[in-house]
Amino acid sequence: MVEQLKFIVEQLKRPPFNRKDYNILTFDNLTNNQLLQVLTDVFAVVDPYDPSHKIDIRDEEPDKTATRHMNTLKMLGYRPKLETDVNTFRQNLVSGDKSVVFPILQWLLEKIPEHKERAYLGRYLSRIDVPSEFLSDPEIAEQHERSDELMEEFKEVHREYKELTSTPHTIEDLRRDIKQLEDEKETLQKRLEKQKTKVQKVPASQIELAKTYRQEVDKEEKLNNMKQDLNNVIHQLEQKIQRLERQIADQRSSSFDQSPEAIMKRMEEENQVNSYLVTDKFPKQLSQMKIKLKYYEEVTNNKALGQTEITNYRAKITELNSVINKLHEKRVLTKDPTADNLAVFRQQALIVARRKEQAAERLTQLRAENDALEKQFGQNLPMGKTGASSTAKSSGQIPQGEEFQRYVNVLRHKSNSYKRKRQEINDMTAELQLLKRTEELLKEQVEQIKGRMGMEERKQGIEGYFSTQERLEELSTMKMEQDELKGKTLDEITGLIKTLNNRISSKKAELDPILKEVKPLRAKIQELRNEYEAKKSRYDALNANFETSRSTLESEVRGFYEEQYAQESRFHTLRAQMLINAVQLKRANDEQSSYMSKDKATKSNREQLNKQINDCEVRVKNNRERQKQTKDVQIDGTKQLKYWRDLLRMMELKRKIAMGES
């Protein structure tokens, strides 16, 4: 705790907070409202684009402050401790409790840059919760899909921006790259000039042939690309066919499990779940709602309390809680160690009951969502007419083009959501059945231990001690549950406990005959379960044989497909080779006919090539003669240059002798 306070105070003293007046003692002595104001100021730094954080919380209603804080923490991805209840966390955050505000401040101040980036992204990537009934409107659905597309585009742009900013580029590196590119440019220009000079010496006929060859190569590359695209399309269609075949197989396999035993088992499970909801969960929720309603009515009927009265009531509640805690500690110290075994099972039963309540709550929520989806699905069945154009509306035809594609995408999304929710309902139902069975086993173990404890009490002469101890534990458990309701006095809690004990006794009396009727049904269920296991083992054996044969057939079909592809590839290769050979044969025949022809106007390629060879030989001979003449002239010029240099040297010596120079 001290390290946490020290870290928070040190971070708040730094920019951009600059709270130099804070130290560990002053910060620890801040009131709850002042802590909420500090939390708001930190939110204003983390999310500077949201003006709602730049406010004095004294000018804002507490509900709006709590809503703003919860939404900001949800956007930043804050997760409280696992053992913290959501309602307790929300209440402590609203009141500004230190146990909640201090961890939030530490979490925010540890990674401020990351939280700033998350807040910036959250402004543009927060999805709008559109009710499902509005999505049936084609225009709203289109705008919703457009919003999702823009979010994806924003993600891609932001990712590219992060990559660019994360790559270090100095000025020297850029100058070096520019210089290197300029050098490469000069090198390429020189090579281009050399190639131009070489090309100018090449005859025009050869350039034309090279151009034709290049065009044919480009055409071949385009054809190869088209072939690759067609192969990709074929592969996609094959994958789509396989996916549809798997869906058909899944539908067929799902229709197999329609035996009377399976239907009866599902009906029994659903009946057990519904009976638990009707007899246990819903009455408990109803009683809690009535108690809350009664409390709210008392609050509204009473006059408004001042700050002094509220402080007095809080002091009284604190005093009563301390008295209760002392009594509880005293009871724990004076507790008989022989009751420890039973306490373990009672704790397990309490855990199982809570898990069962959570599973039932989740099941109720999933059923409500499933009903809403089914209702919406039923309303959207005629969407083909409502979403089509005016012509389609008048004629009653199904939508075409983009409208039909949009309708198919919406329907696929809803179908996937329905399947996922249905699977969650099945999982929760199975978990609820498992929890109920565990609870029954624990109850049986508790009853057995109670019997043994009663015998031990009679032997020791302290009969009734265990029941008294159990009543005290029940009162303690009820006290822990009722402490969550605010503003309860000790007299109200005692009266509520008495009412609950009376109701529990009446419910136990009502359940005794039902439990007697359930015992023979359990034996019948056990017989049906054994029969089910036997039939399931036979089914698994048949299914294994079927899967083996199916995998063998699939491997054979795959081999046939590969052989077919190989033969088709070989066929196309041979066909292309035949076309090339035919073209070459035609050229050879044309050459032979033109060579054997007596018409001198049309010359064959052989004659043209011979003529070009003779011309080249003549030019080579002329160039050699010119080279020989150039060499002779060069030799004469070199001799004359040497003579002139000797003459100049001799004249210079004569000049020096005449001038008397040594």
Side-chain angles (χ1 to χ4, degrees):
M1 186 68 177
V2 177
E3 295 295 331
Q4 189 181 49
L5 278 173
K6 184 177 179 181
F7 174 77
I8 294 173
V9 171
E10 288 179 356
Q11 293 296 324
L12 290 177
K13 288 182 179 180
R14 298 176 181 177
F17 304 104
N18 297 323
R19 300 292 182 90
K20 305 293 184 180
D21 54 339
Y22 281 160
N23 55 42
I24 295 178
L25 295 178
T26 57
F27 192 79
D28 191 29
N29 293 327
L30 292 178
T31 62
N32 294 343
N33 290 332
Q34 290 175 342
L35 287 177
L36 291 177
Q37 183 63 50
V38 173
L39 183 60
T40 300
D41 296 339
V42 174
F43 282 151
V45 174
V46 172
D47 190 5
Y49 303 99
D50 191 355
S52 61
H53 297 307
K54 301 175 182 179
I55 190 173
D56 191 349
I57 62 171
R58 292 175 294 183
D59 301 334
E60 188 180 24
E61 297 180 1
D63 295 338
K64 292 184 179 179
T65 303
T67 303
R68 177 168 55 82
H69 286 175
M70 290 296 294
N71 292 334
T72 306
L73 290 175
K74 182 179 179 181
M75 180 181 65
L76 296 177
Y78 176 73
R79 296 182 181 274
K81 296 180 180 179
L82 296 177
E83 62 270 11
T84 305
D85 185 57
V86 179
N87 295 326
T88 307
F89 174 77
R90 187 181 293 108
Q91 293 174 3
N92 293 335
L93 181 62
V94 171
S95 61
D97 191 81
K98 296 180 181 179
S99 61
V100 174
V101 177
F102 283 175
I104 294 175
L105 288 174
Q106 183 182 6
W107 180 75
L108 289 172
L109 296 173
E110 281 178 349
K111 301 177 181 179
I112 290 181
E114 295 181 5
H115 296 323
K116 283 185 177 181
E117 182 179 0
R118 193 175 184 89
Y120 168 73
L121 296 176
R123 292 176 57 84
Y124 303 103
L125 299 180
S126 298
R127 298 186 179 275
I128 302 174
D129 295 332
V130 182
S132 56
E133 57 269 15
F134 293 126
L135 290 176
S136 59
D137 189 357
E139 186 174 357
I140 296 177
E142 183 178 0
Q143 294 297 330
H144 189 66
E145 292 178 359
R146 178 59 180 167
S147 176
D148 294 339
E149 292 176 359
L150 290 175
M151 287 183 184
E152 296 297 331
E153 185 177 354
F154 177 78
K155 289 180 182 178
E156 186 66 22
V157 173
H158 183 72
R159 184 183 63 79
E160 294 177 356
Y161 168 74
K162 292 293 291 182
E163 291 179 356
L164 290 175
T165 54
S166 61
T167 304
H169 288 290
T170 60
I171 298 176
E172 296 296 331
D173 293 337
L174 295 176
R175 288 177 178 175
R176 193 181 303 110
D177 294 339
I178 293 172
K179 184 177 180 181
Q180 184 178 0
L181 292 175
E182 289 178 352
D183 294 339
E184 292 180 357
K185 180 180 178 182
E186 293 178 358
T187 304
L188 291 174
Q189 287 179 351
K190 291 179 180 179
R191 292 180 61 185
L192 184 60
E193 293 295 333
K194 291 181 179 180
Q195 294 295 330
K196 284 183 179 180
T197 54
K198 290 182 179 180
V199 170
Q200 290 176 357
K201 298 178 181 180
V202 178
S205 59
Q206 294 184 6
I207 296 175
E208 189 66 25
L209 290 174
K211 182 179 179 182
T212 306
Y213 173 74
R214 174 59 60 186
Q215 291 176 355
E216 293 295 331
V217 170
D218 294 339
K219 186 176 180 181
E220 182 181 3
E221 185 176 358
K222 291 180 180 179
L223 291 175
N224 290 330
N225 293 332
M226 291 175 62
K227 181 180 178 182
Q228 185 66 28
D229 294 339
L230 291 175
N231 290 332
N232 293 333
V233 171
I234 292 171
H235 184 65
Q236 292 176 0
L237 292 175
E238 288 178 352
Q239 290 181 348
K240 185 176 181 181
I241 291 171
Q242 293 177 1
R243 185 170 62 253
L244 294 175
E245 288 178 352
R246 285 196 298 269
Q247 292 179 359
I248 293 171
D250 294 338
Q251 294 294 332
R252 289 177 179 175
S253 61
S254 62
S255 63
F256 288 158
D257 193 11
Q258 298 295 331
S259 61
E261 293 81 3
I263 295 173
M264 185 175 180
K265 184 179 179 181
R266 287 196 296 269
M267 292 180 67
E268 288 178 353
E269 292 177 354
E270 187 174 359
N271 187 18
Q272 291 176 0
V273 173
N274 292 331
S275 64
Y276 167 74
L277 294 176
V278 172
T279 59
D280 192 0
K281 184 178 181 348
F282 291 158
K284 186 176 180 181
Q285 289 182 351
L286 183 60
S287 63
Q288 291 178 356
M289 295 300 293
K290 287 182 179 179
I291 293 170
K292 287 183 180 179
L293 181 60
K294 182 180 178 181
Y295 169 69
Y296 293 149
E297 289 177 354
E298 292 178 356
V299 172
T300 54
N301 293 329
N302 295 330
K303 63 179 182 179
L305 299 177
Q307 186 65 32
T308 306
E309 295 176 347
I310 293 174
T311 305
N312 294 332
Y313 278 121
R314 286 180 177 175
K316 187 177 180 180
I317 291 170
T318 305
E319 182 179 359
L320 292 174
N321 287 331
S322 62
V323 172
I324 292 171
N325 292 330
K326 289 180 180 179
L327 292 174
H328 181 70
E329 293 176 357
K330 185 177 179 181
R331 184 182 64 82
V332 172
L333 292 174
T334 58
K335 188 177 180 181
D336 189 5
T338 57
D340 292 338
N341 295 329
L342 188 60
V344 173
F345 290 105
R346 188 179 293 106
Q347 185 179 5
Q348 292 180 357
L350 183 61
I351 294 172
V352 170
R354 289 180 179 176
R355 290 183 63 188
K356 186 169 70 173
E357 290 178 358
Q358 294 176 359
E361 185 69 25
R362 181 62 177 164
L363 178 62
T364 305
Q365 182 181 0
L366 291 175
R367 282 186 173 180
E369 294 179 359
N370 186 25
D371 294 337
L373 290 174
E374 288 180 350
K375 183 178 179 181
Q376 183 182 357
F377 180 72
Q379 293 177 355
N380 291 337
L381 282 178
M383 185 178 178
K385 296 181 180 181
T386 60
S389 60
S390 59
T391 306
K393 288 181 180 179
S394 60
S395 61
Q397 297 178 356
I398 62 175
Q400 302 292 333
E402 296 180 357
E403 294 178 351
F404 179 76
Q405 185 66 28
R406 185 166 57 252
Y407 169 67
V408 170
N409 293 333
V410 174
L411 187 61
R412 185 183 295 111
H413 175 72
K414 292 179 179 179
S415 176
N416 294 333
S417 178
Y418 169 78
K419 291 179 180 179
R420 185 172 61 256
K421 297 295 184 183
R422 190 67 182 176
Q423 183 64 30
E424 290 180 1
I425 291 174
N426 294 333
D427 296 340
M428 297 301 293
T429 305
E431 185 177 0
L432 183 60
Q433 295 298 323
L434 179 62
L435 293 175
K436 289 187 69 175
R437 179 58 181 166
T438 306
E439 184 183 14
E440 292 174 359
L441 294 175
L442 291 174
K443 285 181 179 179
E444 292 176 0
Q445 294 179 3
V446 169
E447 293 297 332
Q448 294 175 2
I449 294 174
K450 282 182 179 179
R452 292 197 297 269
M453 292 298 296
M455 295 174 62
E456 291 294 332
E457 288 174 357
R458 285 192 293 272
K459 290 180 181 179
Q460 299 295 330
I462 54 172
E463 187 174 0
Y465 176 81
F466 175 76
S467 59
T468 305
Q469 185 74 16
E470 186 177 5
R471 283 196 299 272
L472 287 174
E473 290 183 357
E474 290 177 355
L475 290 174
S476 177
T477 304
M478 298 304 297
K479 174 259 173 188
M480 292 174 63
E481 294 179 353
Q482 295 301 322
D483 281 346
E484 297 178 358
L485 301 175
K486 297 189 295 186
K488 288 297 182 180
T489 62
L490 186 60
D491 296 332
E492 291 175 350
I493 294 174
T494 305
L496 182 60
I497 291 174
K498 290 181 180 179
T499 304
L500 291 173
N501 286 332
N502 295 330
R503 293 190 63 186
I504 290 171
S505 300
S506 61
K507 290 294 182 181
K508 285 183 178 179
E510 293 176 1
L511 288 174
D512 286 336
I514 297 175
L515 292 174
K516 293 179 181 179
E517 295 177 359
V518 168
K519 288 182 179 179
L521 294 177
R522 288 179 180 172
K524 186 177 179 180
I525 289 172
Q526 187 63 32
E527 294 176 359
L528 293 174
R529 185 177 289 109
N530 295 332
E531 185 179 357
Y532 163 74
E533 292 295 336
K535 291 184 178 180
K536 186 175 183 300
S537 61
R538 291 198 299 269
Y539 167 76
D540 292 337
L542 293 174
N543 189 21
N545 294 331
F546 171 74
E547 290 293 334
T548 303
S549 59
R550 184 175 65 83
S551 60
T552 304
L553 292 175
E554 286 181 352
S555 61
E556 292 179 358
V557 171
R558 195 179 298 108
F560 291 151
Y561 273 123
E562 292 176 356
E563 185 178 358
Q564 179 186 355
Y565 294 153
Q567 295 296 334
E568 287 180 355
S569 176
R570 183 184 178 191
F571 166 73
H572 291 302
T573 303
L574 294 175
R575 187 174 180 181
Q577 189 66 33
M578 288 175 61
L579 293 175
I580 293 172
N581 293 333
V583 172
Q584 292 178 354
L585 181 61
K586 185 175 180 302
R587 288 181 178 178
N589 292 331
D590 294 340
E591 178 68 17
Q592 184 178 4
S593 60
S594 61
Y595 181 73
M596 298 299 294
S597 177
K598 297 181 179 180
D599 187 7
K600 301 300 182 180
T602 58
K603 295 182 179 180
S604 63
N605 291 331
R606 182 176 179 182
E607 294 176 352
Q608 294 177 1
L609 291 174
N610 289 330
K611 183 178 179 182
Q612 292 177 3
I613 290 170
N614 294 329
D615 294 339
C616 290
E617 289 178 353
V618 170
R619 286 198 298 271
V620 169
K621 185 177 181 181
N622 294 331
N623 289 331
R624 287 177 179 175
E625 292 178 355
R626 291 176 61 187
Q627 182 181 8
K628 185 177 179 182
Q629 294 175 1
T630 303
K631 287 182 179 180
D632 296 338
V633 172
Q634 183 180 4
I635 293 171
D636 295 338
T638 303
K639 291 180 179 180
Q640 291 178 2
L641 182 60
K642 184 179 179 182
Y643 294 156
W644 280 106
R645 285 176 180 173
D646 294 338
L647 180 61
L648 288 173
R649 194 179 299 111
M650 187 169 58
M651 294 298 292
E652 183 67 24
L653 292 174
K654 288 181 178 181
R655 185 183 66 80
K656 288 181 179 181
I657 293 170
M659 295 297 294
E661 295 179 2
S662 57

